[in-house]
């Protein structure tokens, strides 16, 4: 299992030094939480966490809500 960050609009993955790359060159995170914290700390917006399975054919895409992980505090719907 591989955990990576992907830009929603372009479907490119986060690579080293803030470059956007294809899946083989993407930065790999140990856990979903690590990816979420990195996204928040780097102020990366419009991201999603992608979990690639070992066969690279099956994946799960987890959207990152901008009202939770990209702001310093939890924000209720309609407050942004």
């Amino acid at each position: 299992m591989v955990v990576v960050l992907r830009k929603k609009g372009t479907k490119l993955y986060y690579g080293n030094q803030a470059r956007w790359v294809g899946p083989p060159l993407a930065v790999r995170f140990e856990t979903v939480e690590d990816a979420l914290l990195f996204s928040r700390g780097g102020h990366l917006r419009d991201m999603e966490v992608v979990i690639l399975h070992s066969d690279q054919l099956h994946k799960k895409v987890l959207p990152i809500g901008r009202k939770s992980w990209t702001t310093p505090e939890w924000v209720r719907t309609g407050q942004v």
Side-chain angles (χ1 to χ4, degrees):
M1 178 178 84
V2 175
V3 179
V4 293
L5 285 170
R6 184 170 75 176
K7 188 82 169 161
K8 287 181 187 175
T10 65
K11 302 298 185 199
L12 291 173
Y13 296 83
Y14 182 82
N16 287 327
Q17 301 172 353
R19 292 188 200 161
W20 300 101
V21 298
L25 300 175
V27 171
R28 297 172 180 213
F29 298 92
E30 286 189 34
T31 66
V32 170
E33 183 180 22
D34 289 342
L36 291 170
L37 291 171
F38 183 85
S39 175
R40 182 178 180 201
H43 303 288
L44 302 175
R45 297 192 183 267
D46 299 322
M47 303 297 294
E48 50 197 9
V49 173
V50 178
I51 302 169
L52 300 168
H53 295 273
S54 58
D55 62 9
Q56 300 293 312
L57 298 174
H58 297 89
K59 63 185 169 192
K60 297 283 183 193
V61 178
L62 308 172
I64 300 174
R66 66 183 179 88
K67 295 181 181 135
S68 58
W69 283 94
T70 59
T71 58
E73 299 148 359
W74 290 97
V75 179
R76 293 183 186 160
T77 304
Q79 285 185 321
V80 174

